[in-house]
Each structure stands twice: as structure tokens, then as C-alpha cells.
Amino acid sequence: MLASRSEKVVFSRNGFFEWAFMLRDTFLVPILAMHLFAASAASLFLAGAAGAQSDAARTMESAGDTPSNPSATEPSHAHVPSSATLARQFESAAESLPGLLPDQLHGGHGISFECLYTGEVFSNTRGGIRTRRATQYQGLLDLIVSADFQEAGIPLPGRLFIHGQNSHGRGLTEDFVGDRQTLSNIDSFDNIMQVGEYWWEMALWDGNLTFILGKQDINNDFVVTDMATDFIQSSFGISPDVAVPTYPAQSFAAVVKAQLTKSTECKLGIWDGRPDGGNWGFSGSGVTLTVCEVKSRYEIGYDDRPGNWYLGAAYHNDDFLHPNRPVENRGNYVVYFGAEQILWRERYTDEHGDQGLGVFGQYSWSPPHIDTQHQYIGGGLVYHGWLPSRDNDTVGFGVAHAVFSDAPGQSSETAIEGFYKAEVTPSIVLQPDIQYIVAPSGRERDALVVGLRFEVVL
């Protein structure tokens, strides 16, 4: 991987980010504060001033008239989103996320507020580092504000996205299992309270060219396998040798996305290469991470079963020192590939439905003389709507395999996961999960971990 917790990394300073660091202190924080103030004030004012208009619009829609919001005709996401992908799903369908709180508290007229709580209890029942008192609870609270300036009537282009995060409790990885791939995608290793993301987005030419500037999670737009997002094992969300900068350590970035054809998109991003979720995204080190990816979507078969693939590469310009090879290496890189495909759709599923069986695969590689964890291969099967009358439930099975280059006897680690994600209400899901981890960190005893996750959209 590009940056491991166990690696000894020597960081260079070339001054590349000095200008950005200075701009942050001078402009960014005041601008962010003004955006937050404007978004909050506009939401409260517009929500109250246009209540009657909203009621009339809802009356027209219920009477069969054409909805004024085109997104209202699109199918909503079938599940409460996992925390690791909340930002991406919120970005595409904020209004469709169900919640326990009244609609008035979720904003309106371009200003949206969302809150998701994810909690889980897991126990290491055998193997790993130890099993004594190896039951732990941890939780993550995500708070999101999104402001579409044009829709809100604010004289600014584009839109603003702010994502606050608070984690508490402790996972099993460090003290009980010892796995490197991290068995839970909400494990922050230390309790955090941070602005994990804040970014401004502007689209041009009917959305064919998009610019995003601000503190970002790389997994929002890069290395995304949508079919794998319901898994709890971290490697299925983003493979371990591409694991910077993502939750809980996001950083400042500039991203451009170009829609080359109707089905093909090219993306380029440059991140601050020393991610730290606890600051505003600037390290001042001059270290950068550059990522380029091409993604293409397609359909196959007489029933147009959807699929996609992506291919990308990342370069980190830092100095790296492998712990078992005392030769300093200038720069590091990784190449990665992923694909997913719906194999079979249920007979009575309409063209927008996703009930049926799908498969996905992931692969990444980086130089073994630089990285201690240099290769990853993973994949799995997912069935949506498996049981009769449980159309919004999901069952999944996957395998994630990481290859190490540390020392003899520490060759690889394999995580095998199975889960059932059940929708209790449109706002609440329960997810029993079991993981069998073969040779955690390549040296510990095989571990069997069982647990339960719940997610609530407030």
C-alpha cells in the first residue's frame, strides 16, 4: 500500500503546498464560515417562507401532475447507506434518503441536512491475538450539509458539501485480531471528532466536466465498487494498497472529472500526500498523491443487465523506507482494476430494479521492494431481494486476499465474509456479519469474528 501504519516514512519538503497552506489561513476558513452561515440562514428562511408553496407542490404531485423535481421520479437507494459510502450516495440522491426526523429538519430549496448513525458490536471468538474479553462496541455519527447555491437562490456557482464525523468505542483489529486489512470500515483506531470533508463542486457543459476542490475522501469518486459497499470488511470498500487518503484520514485535493462518452468517464485528482482527518486537509509538507482513473459502464444480454469496470493508477512522490530493506526509495505507485456485473435479474424486476444476483472483482499491485503490503485481490457475490417479500434485503459473500513482503513466514492474509443486511424500516437496517480471517498479518492464528451492525438515518 502507499502508506502503511507500520512503515517508516521519510517525508520530503519541496514547497509545493506552501502557497495552498498560506491561502488556507488567509481565505479558506473565512470562506467556509461564510458558506456555512449562508447555507444555514438560507435554509431556515426559505423553509419557512415557502411552506405553502411546498404543500401545493406535494398536492399536485399526489394528484398525478408531473413532479417539479425530476429526481423524484427516480428510484431511491434500497438501503440505508454504509458510513464508508455515505457521501457518495448522499451526493447523488440526498432528497431520497429516508429519515426518522420530520422533513422540515432536513432542509429544503437546495439546502439539505442529513444524519446517519452506525453502531456495531463484534466479538473475536477464536484465534487472532487473544479472545479474552474480545467483545467491543464502536459507533460512528455522520452529519452532512449540502447546499446547491443556484437552487437555494445564493449568488454563488456550484454547490458546497460538508461532512462532519464523530467516532467512539473501539474495534477489534489492533488489540484482538491483529489483521492488516481492518475488519470494520468504520474503525478509526482513535476516537475522532472532525470535519472529514468539505468541498466545493462546479459542473460545466451540461455536467460533462466537473471540478471539485476541498478536503475529500478518495473513495467518493475513485476505486469505487458499488456492489461491494454493503460489506463491512474494509478491503471491499477500497483495497489496502490504495488506502490513502480515506476515512478517517482525508486530505485536501483538486479533482476533475470528464465525461468522455455516454458510458465512459475519466478522472484525475491530486491530494495532499500526508492525510490527517483532524486538520483542514493541509500538511504543508509538499508531498502529493496523484490518481488517474478511467471508468466505463455497459449493459449485456436481452434484458440489459448493467455492469462496469474501472482501471487506475496512483503515484505518491514521497520518500519511502521498507522496514526490512534499508534502502530509501523515491516515490511509490500502485495500479488497480475493478469490475462488477449483474448476472441475473428476477423475472418481475422492472428496468430500474436491482433484485437479483451480481458479482464483483478487485485487484491492485504496488512494488514489493517498497511496500509491506503490495498486492490485493478480492471479489464476491451479492444477491439483492433474495427472500420472498424481502425485496430490500441483501445477502453477500466475499473473499479479500492481501499479499505481504515483510519477512519469511508473513506471506499473506485472507478475510472471508458473509452477511445478511435486513431493512427493518426505510430508516433502519440490521446486519449480522461473520468473518473468518486466515493468518491475520501473516503470523497470527486464524480468527473467527462475529457481530451485528445497525444503521439509522435520523
Side-chain angles (χ1 to χ4, degrees), residues 314-427:
Y315 176 75
H316 201 296
N317 72 350
D318 205 357
D319 294 332
F320 290 84
L321 186 63
H322 193 290
N324 297 316
R325 297 177 178 86
V327 177
E328 188 172 277
N329 297 278
R330 175 62 177 174
N332 191 12
Y333 63 92
V334 60
V335 293
Y336 61 90
F337 173 80
E340 52 189 328
Q341 177 65 55
I342 296 295
L343 298 178
W344 178 77
R345 276 177 166 169
E346 291 190 4
R347 179 179 178 183
Y348 299 106
T349 299
D350 63 32
E351 61 178 341
H352 297 295
D354 58 354
Q355 294 180 49
L357 178 65
V359 62
F360 69 91
Q362 304 162 320
Y363 177 79
S364 60
W365 182 92
S366 57
H369 67 281
I370 299 177
D371 285 329
T372 59
Q373 185 172 319
H374 74 97
Q375 192 171 192
Y376 164 81
I377 183 168
L381 295 169
V382 176
Y383 198 115
H384 185 59
W386 179 43
L387 297 178
S389 74
R390 301 294 302 175
D391 293 344
N392 291 331
D393 291 359
T394 299
V395 60
F397 174 83
V399 179
H401 179 72
V403 180
F404 307 137
S405 61
D406 289 32
Q410 298 177 332
S411 59
S412 64
E413 171 189 293
T414 303
I416 304 168
E417 179 180 4
F419 71 87
Y420 188 89
K421 190 169 186 177
E423 181 183 273
V424 180
T425 73
S427 303

Side-chain angles (χ1 to χ4, degrees), residues 3-33:
S4 169
R5 299 184 190 92
S6 61
E7 286 179 296
K8 181 178 179 183
V9 182
V10 182
F11 291 101
S12 65
R13 295 178 178 271
N14 60 21
F16 180 83
F17 267 95
E18 290 182 359
W19 63 273
F21 196 74
M22 180 179 63
L23 284 176
R24 177 201 68 174
D25 296 330
T26 307
F27 298 108
L28 182 59
V29 175
I31 289 175
L32 180 59

Side-chain angles (χ1 to χ4, degrees), residues 71-87:
S71 64
T73 64
E74 299 174 359
S76 62
H77 194 271
H79 298 289
V80 177
S82 65
S83 179
T85 57
L86 177 67

